[in-house]
Amino acid sequence: AGIPSIELTGGGEPMVYPYISEFLDELSQYPIELAIVTNGASLNEKLQSKLKNLRWIRFSVDAITPETHSKVHRVPESVFDVVLKNIGQVVSRQIEDCKVGISFVITQHNHQEIEEAASYYKNMGVDSIRYTFTYDPEGEGALSLDVARQAERAMNHARSLQDENFKVFGTMRRLEFYSQPNT
């Protein structure tokens, strides 16, 4: 059909699709660029070996400690170590032309880890971290005004870690956008 690229993402974890292995095998037969958004927990070495033409992958981690990861993702604390292991393996594979990023959705459970997360994941060798806010109907990202201001300061401090090999993305604009009346 001439499709140049596919992004695997969604309202669930794409790596737990029952036929993901077969899908990746089939996809590798074509010159289609691949992008993935994953929580990283199921991206084992077998699946990693099937990632052909991968141009970017973003791990939705949202934490730097097992305790916080458990609260944000509602999983056992032990899952965090699996996620970190899988991120490390993808980074060490040095997949040609592939950018590895971290997604950090700011919540009431993890806002205190914003600044340190940039340093933490930069040291792991990822290419970027992207901060966003959770959506809530009130448009406040489920955060108090004071915490939202602290989050903005922390994101600004995290930007000081940017260099030619590591980028920090994040803005308060999404939060401000969602706080506007629906027109």
Side-chain angles (χ1 to χ4, degrees):
I3 297 169
S5 61
I6 292 178
E7 178 182 339
L8 300 180
T9 188
E13 172 55 40
M15 295 299 111
V16 297
Y17 171 60
Y19 302 103
I20 191 65
S21 184
E22 293 84 355
F23 176 76
L24 292 172
D25 285 340
E26 178 69 18
L27 189 61
S28 72
Q29 303 302 309
Y30 305 96
I32 297 173
E33 292 184 350
L34 177 61
I36 299 174
V37 178
T38 177
N39 65 26
S42 298
L43 190 60
N44 58 45
E45 288 185 70
K46 180 181 176 191
L47 288 178
Q48 290 175 36
S49 70
K50 296 174 179 278
L51 300 177
K52 307 298 182 213
N53 299 316
L54 185 64
R55 293 299 169 250
W56 62 264
I57 184 167
R58 188 170 59 236
F59 291 90
S60 301
V61 186
D62 314 308
I64 59 168
T65 65
E67 298 80 17
T68 301
H69 186 262
S70 176
K71 286 178 187 175
V72 173
H73 288 269
R74 297 184 306 265
V75 296
E77 289 183 12
S78 59
V79 172
F80 186 68
D81 289 334
V82 173
V83 171
L84 292 183
K85 179 184 96 181
N86 292 340
I87 293 170
Q89 288 173 339
V90 169
V91 167
S92 69
R93 285 178 181 271
Q94 298 181 337
I95 301 168
E96 184 178 355
D97 296 326
C98 178
K99 297 293 183 187
V100 179
I102 299 296
S103 176
F104 194 106
V105 178
I106 300 167
T107 72
Q108 58 190 347
H109 299 297
N110 66 5
H111 64 87
Q112 72 286 353
E113 295 181 2
I114 294 170
E115 188 174 347
E116 192 176 350
S119 175
Y120 188 86
Y121 292 107
K122 180 179 182 175
N123 289 335
M124 283 190 75
V126 304
D127 299 294
S128 67
I129 187 167
R130 184 189 78 158
Y131 297 102
T132 57
F133 289 89
T134 186
Y135 172 75
D136 72 319
E138 290 76 36
E140 297 168 353
L143 304 174
S144 70
L145 183 59
D146 184 50
V147 170
R149 286 183 180 145
Q150 290 173 19
E152 183 175 24
R153 285 191 298 272
M155 280 192 298
N156 287 335
H157 289 159
R159 282 188 187 90
S160 70
L161 293 172
Q162 288 192 115
D163 58 32
E164 64 221 27
N165 298 314
F166 182 75
K167 303 297 177 211
V168 177
F169 303 101
T171 178
M172 296 297 287
R173 295 184 69 204
R174 181 174 181 202
L175 190 59
E176 292 165 359
F177 172 78
Y178 284 130
S179 68
Q180 301 302 310
N182 192 1
T183 54

